[in-house]
Every structure is written in structure tokens, then in C-alpha cells.
Amino acid sequence: MTPTPTIFAPLFIAATALFIWSCWKRLSLTALGRPDNRLDNIGQRIGDTLSYAFAQKRVLAKPSGLIHVAIFWCFLVLMVANTEFILHGLFPGLTFTKLPDGIFMPLMQMIDVVSLITLLAVIAAAIRRAVSPPYPEARTFEAFFILFLIATLMLANFGVNAAKISRMQGSTLTLAESIMPISSWFAPYIPSGAGKLVHDLSWWTHALVLLLFMNLLPLSKHFHIITAIPNVFLRRRDNPPLPEREEFNAGNSFGINQVDGYTWKELLDSFSCTECGRCQMACPADQTRKPLNPRGVIGQLKHNLMANGPLLKEGKAATTPLIGEGDASISEEAIWSCTTCGACLQACPVFIEQMPKLIPLRRHLVEMESRFPEELLNLFENMEGRSNPWGIAPTERGKWATQLGERPYEPGRTEYLFYVGCAGSFDARAKQISVATALLLDKAGVSWGMLGKDEKCCGDSLRRLGNEYVFDKLAKENVALFKERGIKKVIVQCPHCLTTLKNDYKQYGIELEVIHHSQLLLHLVQDGRLKLPKQADLGKLVYHDSCYLGRHNGIYDEPREALALATGTEPLEMPRNREDGFCCGAGGGRMWMEEFTGDRINLVRAAEALEQQPDTICTACPYCLTMLDDGIKDLRADKVQVKDIAEIMAEAVLR
Amino acid sequence: MLIVACIKQVPDTTQVKIDPVTNTLVREGIPFIMNPYDTHAMEAALQLKDQFGCRVAVLSMGPPNAEATLRKALSAGVDRAILLSDRVFGGADTLATSKVLATAIAKLNDEVEPVGLVICGKQTIDGDTAQVGPGIAVRLGYQQLTLVDKVEELDLTNKKLVVSRKLEGRHERVQAPLPAMLTVVRELNRPRYPTVPMRLAAATAEVEVWDNNVLQLDPQTIGLKGSPTWVSKIFSPERDKGEIVGDGYADPEGTVDLLLGKLMEKDLLPL
């Protein structure tokens, strides 16, 4: 059947209409979301789109990403070819042959070669998915079928061209062979006289598969072909991603328990997921067999939106709960399993925001339903009543420093507030970090003071656990106190205090200059204010990145540099380090919760550290220290010590 | 049926200091909390409300600032919060306190709705007498069931209940007719955590204040004048200064040996 517009045009119009309708049906649901301005910093957004969407920076973080990059770039070229294919189908007179030779010939050559690359890349992708899939469930029919369709398109394209070439002679043939070298390979295999049949068959195969492919996009994970680039452009630009503040007025509701509680961009995320599984492979909860899978959460959100969206649009009530069991709901255990480590955010090639979607669900459970794991009741009451997780009397807070004498922060006279934090004030082991830090500050002649019994918890755990109401009270009290005392520069030894004071409190109108002790100690050595008379002899030392120091605040180098100076050698690295660092298991308030399901995260991380056969594991966070210390004890590796960076610096400076 | 939970605002125990001169608590700057046992009493009342649809009132006798604790009760979901506050109620011992509380309960029973249950914490953490609950029961002629760790059965038609009492080394299952007064232990339940909407509603809800104009009691029988108990001295017991033994981080095994040696020396180990 000769290609003819009489048949192709109605097919094309119907397929396009169906495609637009499917896209609209989905994308229009994002309008249910709350407003959120994602059009600020246009220049940076364009830059991000170029480097992350077009140059695929994050896709390339894994070797298999190369296949994707090949397919992506080939698709851009083939879009030109397919536009011609469709135009030609609709208006037979319109073909590339109308172009000047200088454009026509290289274009044809490029399309021909790119088609081969695409075919090879698709075969490679299929083999990779079959042999070593990113996660076992990734071997879906859909994934293989789409690859099959792409391969079919390439072969049909070769078929069309080869059939044409097989009927050519003389100089036309020579020209055709030079501009379609790949297609020419196939031409000799076409029996003489079958040229037209092969051409028409290939042409219609190409046409129908193309229209089918287009219509499968919105129905599948391949919708990302349309949504991923805008999703990168519309990414969140704040790091760390701060949760929104809540207004505690009567009549308000708190947190999210219905899909339209998210912003439109958060809903768009659900249509941009390619199910590549990188978030899942990086997620400490998923990797220790807990029921939280960030990829799953995004999928559940999509299914929930598809189920409830049409109802909500008509003003009817949602029928599928957002929080609950099933593939269109997010389970409570998943919600509570998150350590807020941010590895998912770091891993996602298209900047889907997985972790920040869970906090509002926690808020709903805590603030609206008072439903949370039992262990948290004590925590919440201790935080509210005594402003520390353990419920120890606030009057005890400054006692770790008794032997250092009175060290009050005096407005106008003291340079730095040493904000010790709850762990550094009350936890027996972490108090030693406080002492080491204080002694080093004194040795360097730093002007510092503390708030003593007036210091309150920063509220980090409360905020990550969704108890925004109590966090809000604590934050307001702290900010008022800081303002009253004229505090501007703050030293912390806990990355959770760091991020809360530095980032979260900005929402409360205070910009503090907060420095982590690992940074300050390095600066003091570099400035010559701290001398290193001997190198700390701690044997082989491996450094563990705290998520809130690293991923949330970008502090990777200073602790390593400080350690190299203190010990004379670069610290050892675990396989998962820096941006890819693996959580200790204590973030997001998990410090205060039991871990009943799967493997214990701290044991997994401690084992990874022990693989480097260290004598010392260095942490820069009191929670990490507790988790890894417990981990190595459970693994019976008692000879390995876990030390904070300040203790290691103190070995070099003070001993 | 109305259930009355009696609650008391107490100083946060970990922070209590005693003024050596006046023999009274130093209250300045000390945070107040709801007596922990009373939180379980209130929770028991609220659970029965959830189950049977009874109404719950909380009563507290105390100074005007005890209103804060009553607001907490409102945020947990009680229907009515009444503060019994009057200068003439001040300085009361357990006898005078139970008189005021019992009078208020009787008033609720007569004028509002028949009272079926009064629930108190087993004792307060500041006075530790455990006398007020039983005092109320005796004055009202109610059955008293102390140290309850489980309400096994509440039969509103036949007006009776069955509870488990937690005694030393054993439990006792007791049936009693209503109305009854229960004192409860911590094991009874896990107090609820108030939702934010409830907290916000409680912030503007009414805490009723009843003074002696409402209760009409003879001033000689209440407050300091109606209290035969006299406190001669309150003090924190002296404790011998301890000793830091070894360094558990540097040398855990040596430290354990040292500790065991010391304990054995003093014959403190049951060997």
C-alpha cells in the first residue's frame, strides 16, 4: 500500500489528538497543586537545564548513564528526521531533497549514522536491563517493549531507505550510497522486484510504530521524555530544601493528607520519574530492606493523583487515601523510615524532590492525628517541657563545662557563641567533643562563650519529624534570645544544629554566621593560631560524611583537610563518600526511634567503614558518632575507635 | 453520665529546690507540669468518653496560674475544665483539699449531670501522700478503687465496673457498683498527645473558675485553717559525694574490674 495522505493524515490527526488528550489529562492535574514560584533566577535555571538536562551531568554519574546519553542525543537528531517523515506523509512534496545540497547531504548522513547508534544503544540498554538491572523489578514488560519499539523504528527507517536504494542505478545510486552508508548495507538483501513492497511495508511500520510510541509516552514512565527537561528547569534552587513554615491559626489544617496539598511542581515530579531507581539505590531505608522506597513514593503519588485528581477537579471528595497501604498510597511505615539524609535528592537525574514530600505527611500524622511511633511521645514531651531529647533538667545543660570555669556569652564582648547542642551538653560521650572543642578554642585564643542553662534545643529532630508546632515555639524562643543577646557568629559541633540555625532559622528572620567546628579548627590551623606540635597517631583513619554536614551544607573538604593536617595523611575513604555518603541512620529524628524492620542502618555503615580496616573512624556529628560507635560494638570490632574530628585535632594540638 | 478527673499542677520534679528557711518549695523560675499520674487519670476518662460517649470534666484546686494545666486538659479533649481557686482554699492539706474537691463534684452531680466515676492519679509527685483521692471517695460515699492498672469492664446499665488493681507482687480483680472513685497508676494507659487544632481551640476555650462564693464552704473547714497537718521540716536528704571510677572510654575492662572490686568490698553484690 503506497503511502498516501488520504490514509495517513486521518490516522496522524487521530493519534495526535489522542496524544494531546492523554497529556492534558495528566498534566492538567498538576493545576490542583498549590502555587509555587519556580520562575525565579531564569539565568541559572537555563544553565542548570543545559548541564543537567542536555549534558545529563547526573545521568552520567553511573556508567550505564552513557547509554541513556546516547539515546537522548540521538533522539534530538531523529526528531528532525521524524518531523520530515510526518510532513512528507501529510504533504508528499515536502522532503529533505528540497534542501540545498550543503545541508541535505550531511543531514542525511547524520540521520543514517545516528539511527545505527540508536539501534546499538537500545540493544545495549536491553541487554543491560536483562543482565544487570538497576533493581530487580526494573525488568518490566513496558521497559523492554519501548526499547523494542525504538529498535523497530530504526529498522523500519533503514528498510525505507534501503528499499529506495535497491531501486537506484548509476550516479543516483552512488550518491545515495554516500549519504546513507548504513542503509546501503541492507539494500543488497532486498530481492529485485520486492523494493516497492519492502518500502511500503517499512514506511507503514515506521508510521504506525511512531504514532503508537507517541501515544504510549504519557501512559508510561516514558512520559519523562516530555516532562523531564521542564522538571529540571523548574527544580528547587534552595539547598538544603527547607520545609515551609506553618501558620498556627485556629481553623487551619496542618501537613498534607490529600494529594492536592502538594504544590503543582511536586505533582509534576510524579510525571517526570523514569523509574531509574537511583534514589532507591542511594536510600538508606530501601537499602536496608525497609518499606520506604523513594521511587515507590513518587509512583504512589502519581497513582494517587490519577485516582483522585479527576474527582478533586470536579469538586468531589478524594476516594483513595494519600497515607495508607496500596500502590496509590504512601504507607505510614515508609513515612517514618526516612532519615532525611537527602541521598535521593542528590541522586535524581531530573531533580525530583522525594524526601521533602514526606515531611508534610509526618506533619499531618503528628499535628492532625497525633499518630506516630510510640518512642516519639517521650521525645516530643521532653522537647516541649525541657527543651532536650532526654528530658534532663535544663539547669544541667552547662555542667559539662564546670571544669572550664564560667564561660558566659557576653554581648558585645564575646565574638563567638559556642552553641553546644543537646548531645554536646547531655550525652556522656558527646560531652567529650564539647570539652575537646572548648580546649582547642582556648588554645587558639578564640573569644567564645555559651548560653549555659539558657541554651535551648535547636529543634532539628522536631522539624524533621513533622512536629512543626513545637519546633515553631522553640525556633521563636531561640531567635528572640539570639537577637536579645546580639548573637551573630555561632560555633556548632553538631551538623543538625548547624543546618537548623543557619538555614531553617532564616525563615524566622535571623541570618547567623554559623560555622561548624571542623571548619573553624581548620581555619585556625591555617592561620597559624593552632600549632600542631605532633601528629595525632590514630593509625589508619577513615572519615564518615555526616549527611547534614555534607549533602545538606556542602561541607566535604574542610574536615578532610583538617584531618590530613592533624594526622599527616589523607583520611581513607569508604566506597560511598562525599555526595554519595551513606547515612548513619540517625537523621530525620530516627535517632530517637527504634529500627524494627530490615538491617540496622548503622551496622551496614559501620561494616562499610570496617572494610577499610581502619584503626579509627572519624565522625563530625555526635549522632553519627553514637550510631557508628554502637555499630562497631555490635560487630565486635572493639579495637576500632570512633572519634570526633575535634578529639583528633586535640590529640595533635594538646598532647 | 459525667466522669470527673481530678488533676493537679505540680512543679517539674527534676528541678525542685527547697528553701531551707521557709521549708517551702522554691517556685521561682520552675516550670509547672500536670502531675504525671493525673495525665493517666485524664486519659482513662477520655478513653471511656471515646468508648461510651460519657462527658468528661476535669477539676483542679490551685492558684490562678494552674489555668495553664487546665488548658492542657482542654487540648486533650475534655468537655469542661474547672479551676477551684480562692485565697481561702490556699495552704490546704489533703483533708481540706479533698473537702473542696468533693464539694465541687457533688455540685456537678446535683446541678449538671450525675457523676458515675471520679478518677485521680495514685498520688502527686510533690506531696506523694496518695490521700486526696480516697478522701474524696469517703466524703462522697463512693466506692474507692485505688492503684487501678486496668479498667476491665464498665457496665452503665447495671451501674458497675470491674478493674484490676496493681498491688505489690500481685494483681487484684475487683468489682464495684457505681459511682466509684479510682486512683490510677502509669501502666493503665498511654496519655494522648494533643493535636494542633485541639491545642489551638484550647487556647481560647473557657476555663471556668469557681471560688468560695460558688462552693459556699465554711472558711474554718478549708484552706490553711481547715488543715490539721503541720509541716515541721522539708529537706533534701544529704548524699555522700560520689567518686568517678576510672575512665570507661579509655579502659572499659579495667574500669569494670575496678567497679566490681569496690562493690564487692562494700558487700553490695549479691554473690
Side-chain angles (χ1 to χ4, degrees), chain A residues 248-250 254 367-370 372 374 377 380 384 386 393-394 428-429 432 467 469-470, chain B residues 12-15 17 31 33 72 190-197 199-201 247 249 253:
Chain A
F248 294 102
N249 298 324
F254 306 97
E367 298 185 316
M368 299 299 289
E369 298 194 22
S370 191
F372 44 78
E374 207 174 325
L377 181 65
F380 289 161
E384 192 169 359
R386 295 176 186 173
R429 180 67 187 82
Q432 298 180 321
N467 197 333
Y469 180 79
V470 179
Chain B
D12 197 346
T13 37
T14 55
Q15 302 175 49
K17 287 202 175 66
I33 56 172
K72 269 204 157 159
R190 178 186 151 185
R192 63 195 62 191
Y193 190 72
T195 66
V196 174
R199 289 188 195 234
L200 296 175
D247 180 347
Y249 289 105
E253 281 164 28

Short mmCIF file of all heavy atoms in Angstrom, two decimals, chain A residues 248-250 254 367-370 372 374 377 380 384 386 393-394 428-429 432 467 469-470, chain B residues 12-15 17 31 33 72 190-197 199-201 247 249 253:
data_model
loop_
_atom_site.label_atom_id
_atom_site.label_comp_id
_atom_site.label_asym_id
_atom_site.label_seq_id
_atom_site.Cartn_x
_atom_site.Cartn_y
_atom_site.Cartn_z
N PHE A 248 0.02 28.97 62.68
CA PHE A 248 -0.79 28.27 63.68
C PHE A 248 -2.00 29.10 64.09
O PHE A 248 -2.05 29.65 65.19
CB PHE A 248 0.08 27.84 64.85
CG PHE A 248 1.07 26.80 64.42
CD1 PHE A 248 2.39 27.13 64.18
CD2 PHE A 248 0.65 25.50 64.19
CE1 PHE A 248 3.29 26.18 63.74
CE2 PHE A 248 1.54 24.53 63.74
CZ PHE A 248 2.85 24.88 63.52
N ASN A 249 -2.95 29.18 63.18
CA ASN A 249 -4.20 29.87 63.47
C ASN A 249 -5.32 28.85 63.54
O ASN A 249 -5.31 27.86 62.79
CB ASN A 249 -4.51 30.87 62.36
CG ASN A 249 -3.45 31.93 62.24
OD1 ASN A 249 -2.88 32.36 63.26
ND2 ASN A 249 -3.13 32.33 61.03
N ALA A 250 -6.29 29.13 64.43
CA ALA A 250 -7.43 28.22 64.54
C ALA A 250 -8.10 28.10 63.19
O ALA A 250 -8.19 29.09 62.44
CB ALA A 250 -8.39 28.74 65.59
N PHE A 254 -2.99 21.20 59.07
CA PHE A 254 -1.53 21.14 59.10
C PHE A 254 -1.02 19.89 58.41
O PHE A 254 -1.58 18.82 58.56
CB PHE A 254 -1.05 21.22 60.54
CG PHE A 254 -1.62 22.42 61.25
CD1 PHE A 254 -2.74 22.30 62.05
CD2 PHE A 254 -1.08 23.68 61.04
CE1 PHE A 254 -3.30 23.41 62.65
CE2 PHE A 254 -1.64 24.79 61.64
CZ PHE A 254 -2.75 24.66 62.44
N GLU A 367 0.52 16.34 63.74
CA GLU A 367 -0.21 17.54 64.17
C GLU A 367 -1.73 17.39 64.09
O GLU A 367 -2.45 17.98 64.88
CB GLU A 367 0.24 18.74 63.34
CG GLU A 367 1.72 19.03 63.54
CD GLU A 367 2.18 20.30 62.83
OE1 GLU A 367 1.81 20.52 61.66
OE2 GLU A 367 2.91 21.06 63.46
N MET A 368 -2.20 16.63 63.11
CA MET A 368 -3.65 16.50 62.95
C MET A 368 -4.20 15.23 63.60
O MET A 368 -5.32 15.20 64.06
CB MET A 368 -4.03 16.47 61.46
CG MET A 368 -3.66 17.72 60.69
SD MET A 368 -4.47 19.21 61.31
CE MET A 368 -6.17 18.92 60.81
N GLU A 369 -3.39 14.17 63.58
CA GLU A 369 -3.93 12.89 64.06
C GLU A 369 -3.23 12.36 65.29
O GLU A 369 -3.67 11.36 65.85
CB GLU A 369 -3.84 11.85 62.94
CG GLU A 369 -4.67 12.26 61.74
CD GLU A 369 -4.88 11.12 60.77
OE1 GLU A 369 -4.75 9.95 61.18
OE2 GLU A 369 -5.15 11.42 59.61
N SER A 370 -2.12 13.01 65.68
CA SER A 370 -1.40 12.56 66.85
C SER A 370 -1.05 11.08 66.73
O SER A 370 -1.18 10.32 67.69
CB SER A 370 -2.28 12.82 68.08
OG SER A 370 -1.55 12.64 69.23
N PHE A 372 1.92 8.54 65.72
CA PHE A 372 3.36 8.43 65.43
C PHE A 372 3.92 7.28 66.24
O PHE A 372 3.28 6.82 67.20
CB PHE A 372 4.07 9.75 65.75
CG PHE A 372 3.66 10.38 67.06
CD1 PHE A 372 4.15 9.90 68.26
CD2 PHE A 372 2.76 11.44 67.10
CE1 PHE A 372 3.77 10.47 69.47
CE2 PHE A 372 2.36 12.01 68.31
CZ PHE A 372 2.87 11.52 69.49
N GLU A 374 5.51 5.04 68.90
CA GLU A 374 5.39 5.22 70.35
C GLU A 374 6.59 5.92 70.99
O GLU A 374 6.43 6.73 71.90
CB GLU A 374 5.24 3.82 70.93
CG GLU A 374 4.51 3.76 72.22
CD GLU A 374 4.27 2.32 72.64
OE1 GLU A 374 4.05 1.46 71.75
OE2 GLU A 374 4.35 2.07 73.85
N LEU A 377 6.69 9.80 71.67
CA LEU A 377 5.89 10.53 72.66
C LEU A 377 6.80 11.18 73.71
O LEU A 377 6.68 12.36 74.00
CB LEU A 377 4.87 9.60 73.33
CG LEU A 377 3.97 10.27 74.35
CD1 LEU A 377 3.07 11.31 73.70
CD2 LEU A 377 3.12 9.26 75.09
N PHE A 380 8.83 14.07 72.18
CA PHE A 380 8.05 15.30 71.98
C PHE A 380 7.80 16.00 73.32
O PHE A 380 7.90 17.21 73.43
CB PHE A 380 6.72 14.98 71.30
CG PHE A 380 6.85 14.59 69.84
CD1 PHE A 380 5.82 13.91 69.19
CD2 PHE A 380 7.99 14.90 69.12
CE1 PHE A 380 5.94 13.55 67.85
CE2 PHE A 380 8.12 14.54 67.78
CZ PHE A 380 7.08 13.87 67.14
N GLU A 384 9.35 19.63 74.48
CA GLU A 384 8.47 20.76 74.80
C GLU A 384 8.65 21.19 76.25
O GLU A 384 8.67 22.38 76.55
CB GLU A 384 7.02 20.35 74.53
CG GLU A 384 6.08 21.54 74.56
CD GLU A 384 4.69 21.19 74.02
OE1 GLU A 384 4.46 20.04 73.61
OE2 GLU A 384 3.83 22.09 74.05
N ARG A 386 11.29 20.31 78.47
CA ARG A 386 12.63 20.57 79.00
C ARG A 386 13.64 20.92 77.93
O ARG A 386 14.84 21.01 78.21
CB ARG A 386 13.10 19.34 79.79
CG ARG A 386 12.22 19.16 81.01
CD ARG A 386 12.55 17.93 81.78
NE ARG A 386 11.57 17.74 82.86
CZ ARG A 386 11.51 16.69 83.64
NH1 ARG A 386 12.35 15.71 83.47
NH2 ARG A 386 10.59 16.61 84.57
N ALA A 393 17.00 17.94 83.24
CA ALA A 393 16.68 19.30 83.69
C ALA A 393 17.54 20.32 82.93
O ALA A 393 18.76 20.14 82.82
CB ALA A 393 16.93 19.42 85.18
N PRO A 394 16.91 21.38 82.41
CA PRO A 394 17.68 22.41 81.68
C PRO A 394 18.82 23.00 82.51
O PRO A 394 19.82 23.44 81.95
CB PRO A 394 16.63 23.47 81.36
CG PRO A 394 15.33 22.74 81.37
CD PRO A 394 15.47 21.64 82.39
N ALA A 428 26.98 11.63 77.48
CA ALA A 428 28.28 11.44 78.13
C ALA A 428 29.41 11.42 77.11
O ALA A 428 30.45 12.03 77.32
CB ALA A 428 28.26 10.14 78.94
N ARG A 429 29.21 10.71 76.01
CA ARG A 429 30.28 10.60 75.02
C ARG A 429 30.47 11.93 74.27
O ARG A 429 31.60 12.37 74.05
CB ARG A 429 29.91 9.47 74.05
CG ARG A 429 30.91 9.21 72.96
CD ARG A 429 32.21 8.66 73.52
NE ARG A 429 33.22 8.57 72.45
CZ ARG A 429 33.96 9.59 72.05
NH1 ARG A 429 33.83 10.77 72.62
NH2 ARG A 429 34.85 9.43 71.09
N GLN A 432 32.51 14.86 75.64
CA GLN A 432 33.96 14.88 75.43
C GLN A 432 34.34 15.68 74.18
O GLN A 432 35.40 16.27 74.13
CB GLN A 432 34.48 13.44 75.32
CG GLN A 432 34.22 12.66 76.60
CD GLN A 432 34.71 11.23 76.52
OE1 GLN A 432 34.59 10.58 75.49
NE2 GLN A 432 35.27 10.73 77.61
N ASN A 467 6.84 17.62 63.78
CA ASN A 467 6.21 18.33 64.90
C ASN A 467 6.54 19.82 64.77
O ASN A 467 7.28 20.39 65.56
CB ASN A 467 6.68 17.77 66.24
CG ASN A 467 5.77 18.19 67.37
OD1 ASN A 467 5.11 19.23 67.30
ND2 ASN A 467 5.71 17.39 68.42
N TYR A 469 4.72 22.36 65.17
CA TYR A 469 4.14 23.23 66.19
C TYR A 469 5.14 23.49 67.32
O TYR A 469 5.40 24.63 67.70
CB TYR A 469 2.87 22.59 66.74
CG TYR A 469 2.18 23.40 67.81
CD1 TYR A 469 1.39 24.49 67.47
CD2 TYR A 469 2.31 23.07 69.16
CE1 TYR A 469 0.75 25.24 68.44
CE2 TYR A 469 1.67 23.82 70.14
CZ TYR A 469 0.90 24.90 69.78
OH TYR A 469 0.28 25.64 70.74
N VAL A 470 5.74 22.43 67.82
CA VAL A 470 6.71 22.60 68.91
C VAL A 470 8.01 23.20 68.37
O VAL A 470 8.63 24.03 69.02
CB VAL A 470 6.94 21.27 69.67
CG1 VAL A 470 7.96 21.46 70.77
CG2 VAL A 470 5.63 20.77 70.26
N ASP B 12 7.90 20.81 88.14
CA ASP B 12 8.63 19.75 87.44
C ASP B 12 9.67 19.17 88.39
O ASP B 12 10.61 19.85 88.80
CB ASP B 12 9.30 20.36 86.19
CG ASP B 12 9.72 19.29 85.22
OD1 ASP B 12 9.76 18.11 85.61
OD2 ASP B 12 10.01 19.63 84.07
N THR B 13 9.50 17.91 88.73
CA THR B 13 10.28 17.30 89.83
C THR B 13 11.79 17.44 89.73
O THR B 13 12.45 17.61 90.74
CB THR B 13 10.07 15.77 89.89
OG1 THR B 13 9.96 15.30 88.58
CG2 THR B 13 8.91 15.43 90.75
N THR B 14 12.32 17.34 88.53
CA THR B 14 13.78 17.31 88.45
C THR B 14 14.36 18.65 88.86
O THR B 14 15.56 18.77 89.02
CB THR B 14 14.23 17.04 87.01
OG1 THR B 14 13.63 18.00 86.18
CG2 THR B 14 13.87 15.65 86.59
N GLN B 15 13.52 19.64 88.97
CA GLN B 15 14.06 20.97 89.19
C GLN B 15 13.66 21.58 90.54
O GLN B 15 13.80 22.76 90.74
CB GLN B 15 13.62 21.88 88.04
CG GLN B 15 14.08 21.29 86.73
CD GLN B 15 13.57 22.04 85.55
OE1 GLN B 15 13.68 23.25 85.49
NE2 GLN B 15 13.01 21.33 84.59
N LYS B 17 13.72 22.73 94.25
CA LYS B 17 14.65 23.04 95.34
C LYS B 17 13.80 23.50 96.53
O LYS B 17 12.71 24.03 96.34
CB LYS B 17 15.59 24.18 94.91
CG LYS B 17 16.63 23.71 93.90
CD LYS B 17 17.84 24.66 93.92
CE LYS B 17 18.93 24.14 93.02
NZ LYS B 17 18.55 24.15 91.59
N PRO B 31 9.40 25.43 86.01
CA PRO B 31 8.23 25.15 85.18
C PRO B 31 7.25 24.23 85.90
O PRO B 31 7.64 23.40 86.71
CB PRO B 31 8.83 24.46 83.95
CG PRO B 31 10.16 23.97 84.37
CD PRO B 31 10.62 24.78 85.55
N ILE B 33 4.10 21.41 85.58
CA ILE B 33 3.55 20.39 84.67
C ILE B 33 2.28 19.80 85.30
O ILE B 33 2.01 20.04 86.48
CB ILE B 33 4.56 19.24 84.42
CG1 ILE B 33 4.99 18.61 85.75
CG2 ILE B 33 5.77 19.73 83.65
CD1 ILE B 33 5.82 17.35 85.59
N LYS B 72 -4.22 22.56 79.08
CA LYS B 72 -3.65 21.33 78.53
C LYS B 72 -4.72 20.25 78.50
O LYS B 72 -4.82 19.48 77.53
CB LYS B 72 -2.49 20.84 79.40
CG LYS B 72 -1.17 21.38 78.95
CD LYS B 72 -0.06 20.46 79.43
CE LYS B 72 1.16 20.61 78.57
NZ LYS B 72 2.36 20.14 79.23
N ARG B 190 -1.53 5.00 77.88
CA ARG B 190 -0.53 5.93 77.35
C ARG B 190 -1.27 7.23 77.03
O ARG B 190 -2.10 7.26 76.13
CB ARG B 190 0.06 5.31 76.08
CG ARG B 190 1.08 6.17 75.41
CD ARG B 190 1.50 5.55 74.08
NE ARG B 190 1.89 6.61 73.17
CZ ARG B 190 2.21 6.45 71.91
NH1 ARG B 190 2.16 5.27 71.37
NH2 ARG B 190 2.53 7.47 71.17
N PRO B 191 -0.98 8.28 77.78
CA PRO B 191 -1.74 9.53 77.55
C PRO B 191 -1.58 10.01 76.11
O PRO B 191 -0.53 9.87 75.51
CB PRO B 191 -1.09 10.52 78.52
CG PRO B 191 -0.45 9.68 79.54
CD PRO B 191 -0.01 8.43 78.86
N ARG B 192 -2.67 10.57 75.58
CA ARG B 192 -2.63 11.02 74.19
C ARG B 192 -1.82 12.30 74.05
O ARG B 192 -1.63 13.04 75.02
CB ARG B 192 -4.06 11.23 73.68
CG ARG B 192 -4.84 12.30 74.40
CD ARG B 192 -6.32 12.18 74.06
NE ARG B 192 -6.86 10.90 74.50
CZ ARG B 192 -8.08 10.45 74.16
NH1 ARG B 192 -8.85 11.18 73.39
NH2 ARG B 192 -8.50 9.29 74.58
N TYR B 193 -1.34 12.49 72.83
CA TYR B 193 -0.60 13.71 72.51
C TYR B 193 -1.58 14.63 71.81
O TYR B 193 -2.20 14.22 70.83
CB TYR B 193 0.57 13.36 71.60
CG TYR B 193 1.56 14.48 71.40
CD1 TYR B 193 2.40 14.86 72.42
CD2 TYR B 193 1.65 15.13 70.18
CE1 TYR B 193 3.32 15.88 72.24
CE2 TYR B 193 2.57 16.16 69.99
CZ TYR B 193 3.39 16.52 71.03
OH TYR B 193 4.31 17.54 70.85
N PRO B 194 -1.77 15.84 72.30
CA PRO B 194 -2.83 16.67 71.71
C PRO B 194 -2.54 17.04 70.26
O PRO B 194 -1.39 17.29 69.90
CB PRO B 194 -2.86 17.92 72.60
CG PRO B 194 -1.54 17.95 73.26
CD PRO B 194 -1.07 16.53 73.38
N THR B 195 -3.57 17.07 69.44
CA THR B 195 -3.38 17.53 68.06
C THR B 195 -3.27 19.05 68.08
O THR B 195 -3.67 19.70 69.04
CB THR B 195 -4.57 17.14 67.18
OG1 THR B 195 -5.71 17.85 67.64
CG2 THR B 195 -4.83 15.64 67.22
N VAL B 196 -2.73 19.59 67.01
CA VAL B 196 -2.55 21.05 66.96
C VAL B 196 -3.92 21.77 66.94
O VAL B 196 -4.11 22.75 67.67
CB VAL B 196 -1.64 21.47 65.80
CG1 VAL B 196 -1.60 22.98 65.66
CG2 VAL B 196 -0.24 20.92 66.02
N PRO B 197 -4.87 21.32 66.13
CA PRO B 197 -6.18 22.00 66.18
C PRO B 197 -6.79 22.01 67.58
O PRO B 197 -7.38 23.01 67.99
CB PRO B 197 -7.04 21.18 65.20
CG PRO B 197 -6.06 20.61 64.23
CD PRO B 197 -4.84 20.32 65.04
N ARG B 199 -5.08 21.97 70.38
CA ARG B 199 -4.31 22.95 71.17
C ARG B 199 -4.77 24.37 70.87
O ARG B 199 -4.89 25.20 71.76
CB ARG B 199 -2.82 22.87 70.81
CG ARG B 199 -2.09 21.65 71.29
CD ARG B 199 -0.64 21.91 71.00
NE ARG B 199 0.20 20.73 71.05
CZ ARG B 199 1.30 20.66 71.82
NH1 ARG B 199 1.64 21.66 72.60
NH2 ARG B 199 2.06 19.59 71.79
N LEU B 200 -4.99 24.64 69.59
CA LEU B 200 -5.38 25.99 69.21
C LEU B 200 -6.78 26.31 69.75
O LEU B 200 -7.04 27.42 70.21
CB LEU B 200 -5.34 26.15 67.68
CG LEU B 200 -3.95 26.00 67.04
CD1 LEU B 200 -4.04 26.05 65.53
CD2 LEU B 200 -2.98 27.06 67.56
N ALA B 201 -7.66 25.30 69.71
CA ALA B 201 -9.01 25.52 70.24
C ALA B 201 -8.94 25.74 71.75
O ALA B 201 -9.64 26.58 72.31
CB ALA B 201 -9.90 24.33 69.90
N ASP B 247 38.29 5.41 83.73
CA ASP B 247 37.84 6.06 82.50
C ASP B 247 37.28 4.97 81.60
O ASP B 247 38.01 4.19 81.00
CB ASP B 247 39.02 6.79 81.83
CG ASP B 247 38.58 7.49 80.54
OD1 ASP B 247 37.45 7.21 80.07
OD2 ASP B 247 39.36 8.30 80.02
N TYR B 249 35.90 4.99 78.81
CA TYR B 249 36.15 5.01 77.37
C TYR B 249 37.56 4.54 77.04
O TYR B 249 37.78 3.81 76.09
CB TYR B 249 35.91 6.42 76.80
CG TYR B 249 34.45 6.76 76.79
CD1 TYR B 249 33.91 7.65 77.71
CD2 TYR B 249 33.60 6.15 75.86
CE1 TYR B 249 32.57 7.94 77.71
CE2 TYR B 249 32.25 6.43 75.85
CZ TYR B 249 31.73 7.34 76.77
OH TYR B 249 30.41 7.62 76.76
N GLU B 253 37.54 -2.41 80.28
CA GLU B 253 37.68 -3.63 81.08
C GLU B 253 38.25 -3.35 82.45
O GLU B 253 37.74 -3.83 83.47
CB GLU B 253 38.54 -4.65 80.33
CG GLU B 253 37.73 -5.36 79.26
CD GLU B 253 38.59 -6.10 78.25
OE1 GLU B 253 39.70 -6.52 78.60
OE2 GLU B 253 38.12 -6.22 77.10
#
